[in-house]
Amino acid sequence: MKVLVVEDEKGLAESITDYMNKEGYLCETAGTFREADERIYLYQYDCVIVDLTLPDGDGFQLIQTLKKLLATTGVIIISARNALEDKIRGLEIGSDDYLTKPFHLSELNARVKSLIRRRNFGGHTEIRFREIRVNPSSRKVYVNGQLAVLSRKEYDLLLYFLSNIDVVLTKVSIAEHLWGDNIDSADSLDMVYSHIKNLRRKLLEKGGSDYVSSVYGIGYKFGEP
Amino acid sequence: MKLLAKTNRIYLAFSLAIYLFAGLAFYQVVRILIYNEVETRLKVEKRDFEAYLKQHKAWSDTTYFVENKIDVVPVGRQTRLSETFIDTLIQNRYDQELMPFRQLTFYVPIKGVMHRVSIRKSLIQSYQLIEVITVTMAACLGLLLLGTFWFQGKLSGRLWLPFYESLSRIKRFNLASATPLQLDKPEINEFRELNEVLRKMGDKMQQDYRSLKEFTENASHEIQTPLALINAKVEQLIQSEKLTETQTRWIEEIYQASRRMARLNQGLLLLAKIDNQQFTDNQAVDLAALLAEKLGAMDEVLHHKRIAVKIGNLVPFAIQLPPALADSLVTNLVNNAIKHNHAEGRVELRSDGKNLSLGNTGHALVSNPERLFERFKKEGSGPDSVGLGLAIIKEICDTYGLEVQYDENNGWHRFGISRKVNEE
């Protein structure tokens, strides 16, 4: 899987690249419009993460070029502008997702994964982690072959965990993933806790192991115990 | 007081003073002239009288048949020899009317006896003359006064016209709009210069205003990227397994602070955008339904805080609002109702089509309710609150012709939204 990160802020591009590399993607960066333009002509990418405001050009133009060259490439816009018009325009010219800065790397990662899943397999692929099996098209979760009945939020939470295995996820990022930006954080953090508790219980009930661990109160991690 | 009224008033007072003074002076001059004339004639008659005496050595009244013309009285002793002019009134022979006369009195010896001789001349005609002259004068001066007054008014009105025109345009001038201040170029230098200066000032003000707004917006945008960087680095940092608990707590605090800053920034940016009227895609939205929907979406939080929601009679409350702002409005209202609620509290939504109200139970307000809608006014100092929610609600309402009110009653906090009564 090849991912191109088009972002002029070096530190941010680096963080995204690091994160993606850890997830097993081959990740490249382009800091300017020209560089990015050159790269999309030369190579093929599965997913391109584009910042809209580049020092020497407009991200939208880049997406348009990209879509002309290879329509199957997934596009995720990351922008400091939180304007509805930008989101609509982005979708109109063929981008798949829009993230407003500042965003969580784990969120970006989850979106990239979901995008690639949709692109490559039309969503008809199962996500497996040990004894846990998730069918994204039917939104069903099986543990040891047994169906675990999860609420919508619990399902979203599990998928978020599965997209970020062995990664510490902050409570805030989980809350925002589940309820969006507008959620009031004080209440939502409690709610995150109760959802995690329920998810854990339901997975354990079906004979699964406990993969969720709490990290110093800052967040949670899903992975090998 | 208007400038024209003021000048007219001063002009009127001044002209009246001049008019009175001129009138009196004229009257005096005419009077003096007439007296001089009468007195000269009286002196001539005195010479005639003396000539007659010299010739005839005696005096007979018959020479003068006209009544009261001359009066010759013998006086015993020689009292005064000087001649004097006096004004006197003498009764008319026929109708007993008192008539004004000028009288010259002098003393003359006739046949060795000193006589006092008084020669008189009627002033009646002179007085009539004075009257006629005075009246004519008064009329002329009055007409002149009225005429100049009228002319002055007309002239000032016309001269000051460019000034009033500029004034009304400045009044209509809107700093926030894109149209510059348009002023005429009148032919009067002073006004032209004034307009020139005003136009420059207007342009400068608009430019400053615009750049200030752009600054707010750009600054907010620029802040988002470093914030994203902090967030990303923190996220990477917490993946490290060598962190101690204290270090994690510090990181957590950095993280919280950056989140808070991001929210703050987004709030300010939204306010700036509403201010700049960057939302233009007005659509008909039913706020009552949106609020009910939002309460439904927040079901989980409400459930978590054990808050009971009661949706009363819900008549649609349709208004024109950009959808993004409608969403922001209801989100902030609902968030506010939940945040400032206590556990096992209640939320109540009502709409009668004219007034939309969202009430919530909660602790009594600590801060001044009048200042509740100001930016950065916070009830308590929760780290998750940035104090912009109500300011955003107010800004949206103000910009789109709505009125938002807050009242507190019996532990209920109610926000009412109604359409602003058109002031024009």
Side-chain angles (χ1 to χ4, degrees), chain B residues 39 50 161 169 173 203 239 254 338 362 364 392 399 409 421:
Chain B
E39 279 165 16
E50 280 165 346
L161 192 69
R169 288 204 193 171
F173 176 55
D203 288 351
Q239 307 306 331
I254 294 172
I338 294 172
I392 290 171
T399 315
N409 189 5
V421 183

Side-chain angles (χ1 to χ4, degrees), chain A residues 74-90:
Chain A
V75 178
I76 293 177
I77 293 172
I78 47 172
S79 170
R81 288 202 293 253
N82 186 16
L84 198 65
E85 303 92 78
D86 281 353
K87 291 181 188 174
I88 292 169
R89 193 170 158 214

Side-chain angles (χ1 to χ4, degrees), chain B residues 13-173:
Chain B
F14 185 69
S15 325
L16 268 178
I18 294 273
Y19 179 71
L20 280 175
F21 176 76
L24 280 174
F26 200 78
Y27 175 79
Q28 284 302 330
V29 168
V30 171
R31 214 174 94 101
I32 286 166
L33 281 177
I34 285 170
Y35 270 51
N36 271 346
E37 164 74 17
V38 170
E39 279 165 16
T40 317
R41 296 227 317 259
L42 280 173
K43 276 182 181 159
V44 169
E45 276 181 28
K46 180 192 165 200
R47 279 228 310 271
D48 286 351
F49 177 80
E50 280 165 346
Y52 183 90
L53 261 189
K54 221 179 230 172
Q55 204 181 338
H56 299 277
K57 307 283 184 213
W59 173 252
S60 136
D61 268 351
T62 49
T63 336
Y64 275 75
F65 55 90
V66 181
E67 187 216 1
N68 299 330
K69 274 291 240 189
I70 192 157
D71 209 4
V72 182
V73 183
V75 281
R77 286 179 295 127
Q78 270 183 324
T79 41
R80 258 168 36 197
L81 285 170
S82 60
E83 48 177 67
T84 47
F85 284 108
I86 51 162
D87 280 335
T88 182
L89 293 169
I90 289 168
Q91 254 182 9
N92 189 305
R93 192 180 344 182
Y94 307 106
D95 50 14
Q96 310 294 305
E97 204 181 328
L98 285 171
M99 308 288 267
F101 277 84
R102 188 72 173 162
Q103 173 177 299
L104 172 65
T105 311
F106 59 96
Y107 298 88
V108 82
I110 304 172
K111 296 176 184 167
V113 182
M114 190 56 87
H115 282 76
R116 189 181 67 208
V117 184
S118 305
I119 318 172
R120 302 178 187 116
K121 265 206 167 308
S122 170
L123 281 173
I124 187 87
Q125 275 166 346
S126 313
Y127 273 10
Q128 273 168 357
L129 190 64
I130 290 180
E131 265 168 33
V132 169
I133 288 174
T134 309
V135 167
T136 317
M137 244 261 313
C140 281
L141 275 177
L143 274 177
L144 192 69
L145 186 73
L146 281 177
T148 41
F149 195 64
W150 174 79
F151 180 72
Q152 154 88 7
K154 280 275 165 200
L155 183 71
S156 307
R158 178 162 295 194
L159 282 179
W160 285 95
L161 192 69
F163 176 79
Y164 286 111
E165 174 64 26
S166 301
L167 194 66
S168 78
R169 288 204 193 171
I170 292 166
K171 273 189 201 155
R172 272 181 279 138
F173 176 55

Side-chain angles (χ1 to χ4, degrees), chain B residues 217-285:
Chain B
E217 210 185 326
N218 290 344
S220 294
H221 267 148
E222 291 307 313
I223 289 168
Q224 298 291 81
T225 308
L227 279 174
L229 188 62
I230 295 174
N231 266 6
K233 296 297 174 196
V234 166
E235 260 186 281
Q236 283 184 294
L237 195 56
I238 57 171
Q239 307 306 331
S240 160
E241 299 195 343
K242 295 189 201 90
L243 292 176
T244 65
E245 203 162 328
T246 327
Q247 284 168 338
T248 323
R249 214 183 56 236
W250 293 339
I251 294 168
E252 162 89 4
E253 273 164 26
I254 294 172
Y255 187 65
Q256 292 291 354
S258 88
R259 294 305 298 170
R260 197 166 142 197
M261 195 150 148
R263 288 167 77 106
L264 190 67
N265 202 31
Q266 273 161 7
L268 285 175
L269 193 57
L270 181 66
L271 281 170
K273 278 181 174 176
I274 303 168
D275 255 353
N276 291 356
Q277 311 205 316
Q278 287 184 5
F279 296 95
T280 46
D281 53 333
N282 281 8
Q283 286 175 20
V285 289

Side-chain angles (χ1 to χ4, degrees), chain A residues 22-41:
Chain A
K22 247 192 240 163
E23 290 292 316
Y25 297 113
L26 197 61
C27 198
E28 290 172 0
T29 51
T32 59
F33 181 85
R34 271 188 48 202
E35 203 184 330
D37 204 41
E38 214 172 274
R39 278 186 183 276
I40 58 172
Y41 273 103

Side-chain angles (χ1 to χ4, degrees), chain A residues 158-178:
Chain A
L158 179 63
L159 215 60
Y160 192 48
F161 273 137
L162 289 175
S163 302
N164 293 286
I165 286 167
D166 270 335
V167 170
V168 182
L169 299 175
T170 60
K171 284 189 249 180
V172 177
S173 98
I174 298 172
E176 285 181 10
H177 179 78
L178 294 183

